[in-house]
Amino acid sequence: MYDSIIGVTALTVDLGGNPVLRDLDLTVEPGEIVAVVGPNGSGKSTLLRCLAGLQPVTSGEVRVFGRPPADDAGFWSRVALLGDEPAWYPGLTAREHLELMGAVHGRARMPVEAALETFALVERADAPPLNLSTGQRQRLCLASALLRPSTLLLLDEPERGLDENFRNRLTGLLGEYADEGGTVVMATHDQGLAAVGRRFVPTGVSA
Amino acid sequence: MSAQASGVRAVRAYLSSRGRARTGVVDRYTSAFGLLMFVAVAGRPVTEMFAGLAGPVDPARSGAGMALLALGLAAFLAAARAAGPVLLPSSDASWLLLSPLNRRQVLARSARLLALVALAAGVLLGVMLVAVLGAPDELVWRVLGALVAGVSATVGGMALAVLGQASQTWQVWLTCAIGVLLALALVAVTGQLRTVAAIAAGAPLPALTAAMSGAALFSGLLVRQAWTALDRIPTRKLLASSTRAGHVASAATMLDPGVLTWIAEDNHWRARKLTSRRWPSLPGPFALAWHDWRRLARRRGRLAAMAGTAALPAVLAQAGGPPAALGAAVLAGALAVASLSTSGARRDADNPALARLAGVGPRQALAARAVLPGLLAGAWAALALTGLALTSGPLTAETATALDGTGVWWLFGPLAAPALAAAALRMARRDPVDHSMPVLDTPSGPVPTGPLFWAATGPDLALLGCLPTAVALVLQPAAPAPFLVAQGVLSVVVLAGYLWRARTGGRAR
């Protein structure tokens, strides 16, 4: 068993010879929301990639659910990662992408209809994702990540392309997710979103 | 115009001075020497090949041959239309197209490339025309006439496709031309055009000259129109055929064949109005794989075309194709059909973000995704082999029925299906072309190995996995039962091995 969802000790990552993260420590408890903040290039996305097991570390230790993150089905059934926009499956509508996500996991955190309603996509439900606007596509990404069951949510700049109203609504949605026992780690530049959880600055300098 | 034209030249000169090294005198000498050597080496076999074409051909074969020619030209036109055909590397599209530079000069390089492609296709078509019609007399003139006819058809067709990009009216004409060619192929395969073919093969020289001059003139007029129309192609169409949002990054350095198919696919769905349907309750991996089934159900036209192409090996057999060519046609066709239903695996290999969100194990996902391509490839190959057995090709019904009274050749289709599915998945999950691989210097010019390896990834597994079928099709044994058993076993081994080797996080080689 493990005490904390995430345990990072003395993490150092070099990219192309440049130190991106240096001696970083981070512990995240179940039900916690952590907002990783900092200027461009401070290593926010790199930290998220390390937590997802997609970035080899130079030194130090990263443990998620008590063991090093593994890029396998068992890991991804508990972790939902939202980074850059995914490549959508050709020939499927926005609604079908959400239904697919629910069907693959056997159960969903919310019905597809409710997700479409919550993420303001009802009118565009039959459109292929590529025909949606940038903000609508980001809402579809968030809906896919929040519809499926998960224990840990890793979000890289979830506010990308979203209008002010929806950013506020997202704050509430992440709060609900944490209330259900889920843990959120997100990299963000949005002050409102950052305020919903504990702020963490990868460079170690307080923002 | 001159100021803008010189502007384009200046920009191109600047780009090339910053790019790869300029070709020097030694490079030109090497190329010229290589070309001369090629002519010296290949000249004799080519002459002998043409000499072999002298004399009349079996009229029973000319119908099927004409059908294949018409189909080939229709496919050429359809491919030109699907590609654009005028397109630019994405860097040019981003930097030169949206600028005050002279549009025709910017596009001139692309137009010259299209002309070269059309010329090469035309020469091929001409040679095939001679092979189909035969040359009872005056070999040189008949070969020349056929080459002029082939080049006129492809160059004129390419010009028509360019005009179609510039205006909707020409687009309609292009569609009509493709339709007429398909109808012609259908009529030809029934043997109705034998008289026409015989008349064309034996036409007197003055008539041949007049016909070819007319064809060349018509084609020339189309080219002139197309050159004038280059200015009028709407920028949005050029951008659509050159780059697409989402593909810009991956297509940034070179035009990648894989990226081009995504552009075509995404364009197709962007223009469609879809209605969502409920996702079936299936176990996780199959729920994920259901995407390919739904996508295929939404492209019924493609499904029908797929079924129609199963007759092609039989037509090839009627045209006198050798057993090796027939075997290659069956396996290549089945692999092509299988690879049309692997877009889910391909998308997840290109970008595993959705696959990670789905959280299905790669092995289970691949196994579920192998079902549809396997079914399609098996059914197509079975149809194609039945067609072969029914026609007067080498796989005659007599040979087949001599075995057990019913004919068992079609069984190779379903038995080879698992191996073909594995090969199609390997093709879908291959890496983009690796342009950093070495370039081989051969007497006929440099050969980049990256695109060769890319093209061979997938077909290699198909050939390996379908070896018993391939050997049986070439040798045509009296008792194919051992080959059937070997094929069944090998197929299962190949698919199981491929799935076993599948790794997490996208690509498996």
Side-chain angles (χ1 to χ4, degrees):
Chain A
M1 263 317 276
Y2 46 88
D3 299 326
S4 49
I5 294 275
I6 291 171
V8 178
T9 320
L11 173 67
T12 296
V13 176
D14 288 349
L15 290 180
N18 295 322
V20 179
L21 296 172
R22 182 72 59 221
D23 277 332
L24 183 139
D25 294 309
L26 171 69
T27 306
V28 182
E29 304 299 332
E32 201 178 357
I33 300 179
V34 173
V36 185
V37 293
N40 295 138
S42 58
K44 301 187 295 295
S45 300
T46 307
L47 173 60
L48 282 184
R49 289 180 65 77
C50 287
L51 296 180
L54 301 175
Q55 172 69 52
V57 303
T58 309
S59 65
E61 191 185 38
V62 176
R63 297 183 88 80
V64 178
F65 308 123
R67 60 189 184 92
D71 186 10
D72 60 25
F75 181 77
W76 292 118
S77 64
R78 303 172 76 183
V79 178
L81 169 71
L82 186 58
D84 290 333
E85 184 182 338
W88 304 102
Y89 289 130
L92 295 192
T93 64
R95 181 198 300 266
E96 285 169 339
H97 273 91
L98 293 181
E99 289 202 358
L100 162 70
M101 224 24 95
V104 166
H105 287 279
R107 63 188 178 87
R109 278 187 63 239
M110 57 181 107
V112 171
E113 286 308 320
L116 288 169
E117 194 84 43
T118 308
F119 290 87
L121 288 168
V122 176
E123 285 171 12
R124 303 289 285 141
D126 279 349
L130 280 179
N131 286 2
L132 300 179
S133 74
T134 311
Q136 287 170 331
R137 286 206 298 274
Q138 180 65 3
R139 290 208 296 262
L140 182 60
C141 293
L142 286 165
S144 309
L146 280 164
L147 178 130
R148 53 154 286 184
S150 62
T151 317
L152 174 63
L153 196 54
L154 299 174
L155 305 174
D156 193 359
E157 298 190 24
E159 73 274 13
R160 206 179 296 158
L162 298 180
D163 58 38
E164 193 64 35
N165 275 342
F166 197 82
R167 287 184 190 201
N168 293 336
R169 204 189 298 180
L170 180 61
T171 311
L173 288 169
L174 294 182
E176 285 170 24
Y177 179 83
D179 289 343
E180 290 172 21
T183 308
V184 183
V185 179
M186 63 176 157
T188 181
H189 289 290
D190 185 272
Q191 294 303 318
L193 267 178
V196 77
R198 168 160 69 98
R199 293 161 76 95
F200 177 79
V201 186
T203 48
V205 183
S206 194
Chain B
M1 126 107 195
S2 59
Q4 284 186 328
S6 64
V8 175
R9 272 198 291 277
V11 170
R12 294 254 188 237
Y14 176 79
L15 290 175
S16 60
S17 70
R18 291 289 184 279
R20 65 176 65 168
R22 297 174 71 88
T23 44
V25 178
V26 177
D27 296 322
R28 286 175 204 279
Y29 168 76
T30 314
S31 302
F33 184 74
L35 196 68
L36 277 175
M37 282 301 287
F38 179 75
V39 170
V41 171
R44 200 181 160 84
V46 169
T47 320
E48 280 172 2
M49 185 192 80
F50 277 118
L53 295 174
V57 295
D58 178 6
R61 287 179 173 179
S62 66
M66 293 277 279
L68 284 178
L69 284 183
L71 279 180
L73 190 55
F76 175 77
L77 292 185
R81 182 167 66 172
V86 180
L87 46 84
L88 289 167
S90 55
S91 48
D92 278 7
S94 318
W95 296 99
L96 301 187
L97 198 59
L98 305 177
S99 74
L101 292 172
N102 182 296
R103 174 67 54 83
R104 198 182 297 161
Q105 297 297 328
V106 170
L107 298 178
R109 186 181 283 187
S110 170
R112 275 198 297 273
L113 190 68
L114 290 181
L116 275 179
V117 169
L119 193 71
V123 169
L124 194 68
L125 196 71
V127 173
M128 284 165 65
L129 190 61
V130 183
V132 167
L133 294 180
D137 54 358
E138 305 280 0
L139 177 66
V140 176
W141 289 109
R142 297 214 181 272
V143 168
L144 265 182
L147 288 180
V148 171
V151 171
S152 302
T154 51
V155 171
M158 186 62 95
L160 196 58
V162 172
L163 285 166
Q165 209 175 356
S167 96
Q168 197 54 43
T169 322
W170 284 105
Q171 188 71 259
V172 174
W173 281 111
L174 179 62
T175 312
C176 287
I178 295 175
V180 166
L181 282 170
L182 289 178
L184 206 64
L186 209 63
V187 176
V189 84
T190 56
Q192 305 285 323
L193 289 182
R194 274 181 203 166
T195 333
V196 180
I199 292 172
L205 274 190
L208 188 73
T209 316
M212 290 313 114
S213 308
L217 189 70
F218 184 62
S219 163
L221 282 175
L222 279 176
V223 169
R224 192 163 156 263
Q225 284 285 92
W227 177 251
T228 324
L230 273 185
D231 260 348
R232 294 198 303 270
I233 303 179
T235 311
R236 65 185 162 78
K237 286 198 178 177
L238 283 172
L239 280 178
S241 57
S242 300
T243 57
R244 268 285 170 194
H247 294 298
V248 179
S250 41
T253 46
M254 282 284 257
L255 277 177
D256 197 306
V259 173
L260 287 179
T261 55
W262 276 141
I263 293 174
E265 173 95 37
D266 286 342
N267 283 353
H268 173 84
W269 295 113
R270 270 169 192 267
R272 291 288 173 286
K273 194 167 164 48
L274 300 174
T275 309
S276 303
R277 287 166 58 200
R278 188 154 291 286
W279 211 260
S281 297
L282 294 166
F286 289 98
L288 187 66
W290 187 250
H291 154 245
D292 284 322
W293 293 77
R294 181 152 291 180
R295 173 176 160 277
L296 194 69
R298 287 186 169 152
R299 301 198 78 166
R300 292 204 189 99
R302 185 180 260 200
L303 206 57
M306 238 189 263
T309 53
L312 278 180
V315 176
L316 189 64
Q318 268 195 324
L326 298 182
V330 171
L331 291 183
L335 181 62
V337 165
S339 66
L340 287 177
S341 60
T342 54
S343 71
R346 219 179 129 210
R347 195 128 268 195
D348 282 349
D350 281 350
N351 180 336
L354 273 188
R356 289 187 184 126
L357 218 45
V360 177
R363 211 164 281 152
Q364 290 88 333
L366 270 184
R369 279 174 166 156
V371 176
L372 182 60
L375 278 178
L376 288 176
W380 191 93
L383 269 177
L385 288 169
T386 309
L388 271 181
L390 291 177
T391 55
S392 53
L395 281 186
T396 53
E398 291 76 42
T399 324
T401 47
L403 307 170
D404 61 354
T406 53
V408 292
W409 283 96
W410 66 272
L411 272 174
F412 277 111
L415 287 175
L420 288 166
L425 287 172
R426 177 170 156 83
M427 206 151 95
R429 288 156 56 85
R430 65 188 160 188
D431 284 328
V433 177
D434 181 1
H435 293 290
S436 66
M437 284 184 77
V439 176
L440 296 180
D441 276 320
T442 64
S444 48
V447 177
T449 48
L452 284 183
F453 272 88
W454 181 86
T457 309
D460 53 356
L461 193 62
L463 188 63
L464 181 79
C466 298
L467 214 52
T469 305
V471 174
L473 283 171
V474 173
L475 298 181
Q476 315 226 343
F483 290 91
L484 284 170
V485 174
Q487 181 57 68
V489 173
L490 187 60
S491 271
V492 172
V493 169
V494 163
L495 182 61
Y498 181 75
L499 294 178
W500 179 70
R501 281 200 64 214
R503 285 184 289 126
T504 317
R507 304 178 190 283
R509 272 144 284 273

